[in-house]
Amino acid sequence: DELPTMQTEDVPHDEGILREFLKRILGETDIKGEVYSAVPSHLVDLKRFTLPNMPSHEREAAITWEVKQWVGTHYDDTTFDYTFLNEKDLSDGSKEVIVVTASKKDILKHLVLLESVGLKVLAIEPEFYPLLASLNYNGQVKPDQVTILLDFGGSSTRLDIICNRELQFTRTLNIHGGSITKA
């Protein structure tokens, strides 16, 4: 019994097909229980900035303020998380921060889909992070190299620039397989 064929642009619109596809995969594999999940890069935005030297108890408020400036009127509909890129402070005591934002609606939709097939989601991250982790783990990214990843997909294309084994820049581009096929 074959799974229905679907175009990439149909996936977000037909959750029933996606749910059945996931159920079938889970039935054929030993995947169950608690999982870590990745969301497509086009559903998230990433911003990297330097946080000035300040007491640690003030950092979260400063990052929240930065996110509010960045997303503007959409703040109440946005969820975000952040991490400091270097364990140590920079020479002036400042810290490099990377913030990932996403629509609460998109994240909730993702969670509901996975939970509807019996999975308990422990964490969600943008899809470029597991890719970077696997490249680092396999020694494909060297500390003294600049690595460019181009994920040319059917409905989006993502460009990632990695330097010193850290994501320095990412951008989702409007040129993709679907647009080339259409042209």
Side-chain angles (χ1 to χ4, degrees), residues 88-99:
K88 298 179 182 177
D89 291 347
L90 300 175
S91 60
D92 62 355
S94 59
K95 287 207 168 274
E96 287 185 272
V97 181
I98 193 162
V99 178

Side-chain angles (χ1 to χ4, degrees), residues 6 35 37 40-41 44 60 63 73 87 92 110 118 123 137-138 151-152 155-156 161 163 166 183:
M6 56 185 151
V35 296
S37 180
S41 297
V44 300
E60 187 159 343
I63 292 168
T73 58
E87 292 296 318
D92 62 355
H110 185 77
Y137 178 79
N138 290 318
D151 180 4
F152 193 78
S155 61
S156 68
I161 300 176
C163 184
E166 291 182 351

Side-chain angles (χ1 to χ4, degrees), residues 10-180:
D10 294 337
V11 173
H13 303 294
D14 196 338
E15 303 229 356
I17 291 175
L18 189 53
R19 185 175 293 107
E20 291 308 310
F21 181 75
L22 286 172
K23 283 181 183 177
R24 182 154 180 196
I25 288 174
L26 295 174
E28 294 174 359
T29 64
D30 197 26
I31 300 171
K32 58 185 170 199
E34 298 175 336
V35 296
Y36 294 89
S37 180
V39 293
S41 297
H42 69 273
L43 294 181
V44 300
D45 285 315
L46 178 133
K47 184 172 185 181
R48 181 184 176 139
F49 61 93
T50 302
L51 193 63
N53 187 9
M54 64 180 60
S56 59
H57 68 277
E58 294 178 6
R59 289 182 184 147
E60 187 159 343
I63 292 168
T64 300
W65 182 86
E66 184 75 28
V67 170
K68 284 181 180 179
Q69 300 307 304
W70 180 23
V71 299
T73 58
H74 301 289
Y75 179 76
D76 290 335
D77 301 323
T78 301
T79 185
F80 71 93
D81 201 0
Y82 63 91
T83 190
F84 296 105
L85 291 176
N86 299 311
E87 292 296 318
K88 298 179 182 177
D89 291 347
L90 300 175
S91 60
D92 62 355
S94 59
K95 287 207 168 274
E96 287 185 272
V97 181
I98 193 162
V99 178
V100 178
T101 63
S103 157
K104 287 179 182 177
K105 182 180 91 174
D106 289 339
I107 297 301
L108 183 59
K109 190 172 165 183
H110 185 77
L111 280 171
V112 167
L113 174 66
L114 294 176
E115 289 173 356
S116 75
V117 297
L119 298 173
K120 180 180 179 192
V121 179
L122 299 177
I124 297 175
E125 61 186 354
E127 67 186 355
F128 45 80
Y129 282 119
L131 174 61
L132 177 57
S134 71
L135 290 172
N136 280 332
Y137 178 79
N138 290 318
Q140 299 297 311
V141 178
K142 308 287 188 227
D144 56 340
Q145 290 181 333
V146 174
T147 303
I148 297 175
L149 302 175
L150 184 63
D151 180 4
F152 193 78
S155 61
S156 68
T157 297
R158 192 182 74 249
L159 172 72
D160 300 322
I161 300 176
I162 300 163
C163 184
N164 294 322
R165 294 187 173 152
E166 291 182 351
L167 182 68
Q168 301 293 319
F169 176 83
T170 187
R171 183 75 67 229
T172 301
L173 308 172
N174 291 329
I175 304 289
H176 49 77
S179 62
I180 290 174

